[in-house]
Every structure is written in structure tokens, then in C-alpha cells.
């Protein structure tokens, strides 16, 4: 791991979400398991036990989750990792790998680990899985599984845009692509054969992005960085098809679906502010019980300064499943 990986851990929450399903139910699922590597939009609570000041295991987070319990998800309810697992008939919600109350019986149905040790933990998981179901079955599960990867959001919105990497953006994007390339190669070596690599979100239109330029208009400079990086990511992923034909890596656009939601506002009454924080949302400031909240989060695109609501995620994930899920 180079210093880029350490920087990612300091700057944001990165997680590995591991899903598998009981073997007796795999007949109804397109994939045998789901493994999700990414940032806070995928975290289901692993960050709760990490050394980090950025935590959301407190109200009002999880306000609309099962039982209204704050679990460490950076939203009012479910996050994309939950929704994709559910849509693929793998699992309804995801328990955190580092949860001290994690039940070993959950091993066949899912877990989560942090970016700093994610490959190490992934290997550990494979070892546990092998011990549980045997080498042959474990290899089948990994090769028939799906990995979802979310990269670049915090690197662009925080590290680069806030001047923490004083360099040309093209050079910085190349660094991120190099990291992604190395990471995908390591996954391939571990037996992974199916990956959905997510673009960044529409970063300049997040409430925090808007706040950086006055609070109403999108920060189009940040959006331009995101578009440039996304284009490079898509081009690189396309090249994988020619160099490694048995590696099914798909580029998943989440930038434009979110931008379309913001533009067309289907069923939303507010596409600018966070349901939690309202007009006072400031970049990097998480919600507390003292923070103002809207009555109905499903009418807001965003939950806080940087994270969409469950309703917005549901629309985005529906688009993803329609375009990328195996039929």
C-alpha cells in the first residue's frame, strides 16, 4: 500500500463490504456473493470502531432505517451496498465486519472491513470461507461473486479540491487510475472475475459542494474534475476487456443519474439542501440531534452535506440494476 492509500483512510471512510448468501438460496441470485470496496456511501457501520472523528453512529442518522437505529450508515436509511445486495437477492442489509457483536453465523451472509487493511481482510475472509465450505466451493463463490467499487469521491471533493494535493488534475487523476488498476489486478489474482466500478457522484452539486461557492449553484469546477476522472476511469475499464477478456469489469455511471435526479426532481421538493442541516449545511459537518431536520426525508435528494437520502439512492440503484445486472 502506498501513501495514497493512507491518505484515503485519513480523508474519508473507506470500506470493504462482503456479502455471501446461504448456499441453499443461491439459485435465485445472479451472483453467489457481493463484495463492495468503497467510501462512505457504502459504509454500513465499519467506521464505528475505526480511529476516526467522522462517525455517524448516532441520531439522527438511521432515522428511517430498520427500527430507526443509527448503525453507522451515512444516510437516513439504507445505502447503495444494502440496496444492490437486496436487488440481487443476496441480502437485505449488511452487518459490519468489525462489529464486536458480529455473529460468526453471519459469515455466509456478509461483512465489512476498512480500506487500510481491505485486501488483507479480504484474504482473511476467503480463509474463513474456505474453512467453512471448503477450497473448491470457496473458489466458486469468489469467482461467481460481484465486486462493487466506489472510488474518487473524496480524493476529488476533498483532497484535490481543497488544495491538499498541489498538482495538475490530469496528473492526480492518473495517480487515481494507477491505484485503481493495481487494486483491480490484485482482486483478479484473488479470483474475482466480476466488478462494477462506480464513477464519482456529481460532487459539485452535493450540498457541501454548493456551499463552497455560495450555497445555491453547483460548483461546476469540481464537477469538471469529476467528469475528467470518470472519463479516464471508463477508458481504462474499456481497455481491460482487450487485455483480460475473462475479467468482467463494467463502468457504472452514477454521476449522470444523480445529476438527472437533481435536474428533474422526480417526487423531490428539495434538490439543493440536506434534509438534515438545511441551508446551514457546511462541508464536513455531520448532523447531530441539535441540527435542524426536514419532516419527510423522501422529498429531499440529500440527507446531509455529502450523502443522498435512501430515496435518491433507490432511484440510482434501480438504474444500475437495470443496466448492469445479469438477466
Amino acid at each position: 500500500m502506498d501513501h495514497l492509500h493512507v491518505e484515503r483512510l485519513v480523508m474519508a471512510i473507506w470500506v470493504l463490504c462482503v456479502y455471501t448468501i446461504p448456499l441453499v438460496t443461491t439459485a435465485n441470485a445472479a451472483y453467489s456473493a457481493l463484495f463492495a470496496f468503497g467510501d462512505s456511501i457504502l459504509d454500513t457501520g465499519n467506521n464505528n470502531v475505526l480511529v476516526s472523528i467522522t462517525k455517524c453512529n448516532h441520531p439522527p442518522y438511521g432515522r428511517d432505517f430498520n427500527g430507526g437505529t443509527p448503525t453507522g450508515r451515512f444516510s437516513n436509511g439504507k445505502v447503495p451496498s444494502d440496496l444492490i445486495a437486496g436487488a440481487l437477492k443476496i441480502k437485505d442489509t449488511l452487518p459490519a465486519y468489525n462489529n464486536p457483536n458480529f455473529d460468526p453465523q453471519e459469515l455466509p451472509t456478509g461483512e465489512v472491513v476498512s480500506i487500510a487493511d481491505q485486501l488483507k481482510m479480504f484474504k482473511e475472509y476467503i480463509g474463513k470461507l474456505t474453512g467453512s465450505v471448503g477450497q473448491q466451493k470457496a473458489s466458486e463463490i469468489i469467482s461467481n461473486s460481484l465486486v462493487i467499487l466506489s472510488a474518487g469521491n473524496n480524493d476529488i471533493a476533498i483532497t484535490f479540491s481543497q488544495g491538499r494535493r498541489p498538482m495538475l488534475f490530469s496528473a492526480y487523476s492518473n495517480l487515481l487510475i494507477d491505484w485503481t488498476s493495481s487494486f483491480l489486478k490484485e482482486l483478479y489474482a484473488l479470483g474475482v472475475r466480476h466488478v462494477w466500478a462506480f464513477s464519482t457522484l456529481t460532487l459539485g452539486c452535493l450540498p457541501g459542494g454548493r456551499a463552497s461557492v455560495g450555497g445555491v449553484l453547483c460548483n461546476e469546477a469540481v464537477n469538471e474534475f469529476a467528469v475528467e476522472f470518470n472519463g479516464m476511469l471508463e477508458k481504462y475499464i474499456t481497455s481491460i476487456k482487450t487485455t483480460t477478456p475473462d475479467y468482467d469489469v463494467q463502468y457504472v455511471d452514477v454521476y449522470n443519474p444523480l445529476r438527472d435526479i437533481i435536474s428533474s426532481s422526480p417526487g423531490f421538493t428539495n434538490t439543493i439542501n440536506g434534509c438534515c442541516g438545511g441551508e446551514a449545511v457546511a462541508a464536513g459537518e455531520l448532523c447531530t440531534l441539535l441540527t435542524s431536520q426536514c419532516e419527510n426525508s423522501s422529498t429531499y435528494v440529500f440527507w446531509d452535506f455529502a450523502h443522498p437520502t435512501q430515496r435518491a439512492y433507490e432511484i440510482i440503484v434501480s438504474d444500475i440494476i437495470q443496466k448492469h445486472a445479469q438477466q
Side-chain angles (χ1 to χ4, degrees), residues 39-41 74 152-158 161 200-220 222-223 226 254-255 258-259 262 270-275 278 281-284 301-309 312-313 316:
D39 47 34
S40 58
I41 69 169
F74 285 79
N153 287 301
N154 298 295
D155 304 277
I156 295 171
I158 302 175
S161 297
T200 68
L201 296 173
T202 316
L203 301 174
C205 295
L206 304 181
R210 293 176 189 268
S212 67
V213 289
V216 178
L217 299 177
C218 295
N219 186 332
E220 295 300 348
V222 174
N223 280 341
V254 293
Y255 178 99
L258 179 57
R259 183 127 208 182
I262 294 169
N270 193 309
T271 63
I272 296 176
N273 310 122
C275 168
V281 160
V301 173
F302 299 103
W303 167 247
D304 63 9
F305 76 96
H307 305 98
T309 58
Y313 280 142
I316 294 170

Side-chain angles (χ1 to χ4, degrees), residues 168-243:
L168 292 175
F169 185 72
S170 58
Y172 188 58
S173 288
N174 280 323
L175 283 178
L176 299 182
I177 297 300
D178 287 346
W179 171 81
T180 302
S181 174
S182 297
F183 194 73
L184 288 173
K185 288 176 182 177
E186 291 179 280
L187 289 179
Y188 182 86
L190 291 171
V192 172
R193 291 298 180 268
H194 305 281
V195 179
W196 292 355
F198 287 22
S199 73
T200 68
L201 296 173
T202 316
L203 301 174
C205 295
L206 304 181
R210 293 176 189 268
S212 67
V213 289
V216 178
L217 299 177
C218 295
N219 186 332
E220 295 300 348
V222 174
N223 280 341
E224 288 176 9
F225 291 145
V227 169
E228 182 177 342
F229 168 74
N230 293 338
M232 293 176 66
L233 179 63
E234 183 176 18
K235 183 178 180 180
Y236 166 69
I237 289 172
T238 299
S239 72
I240 294 176
K241 293 176 173 48
T242 58
T243 59

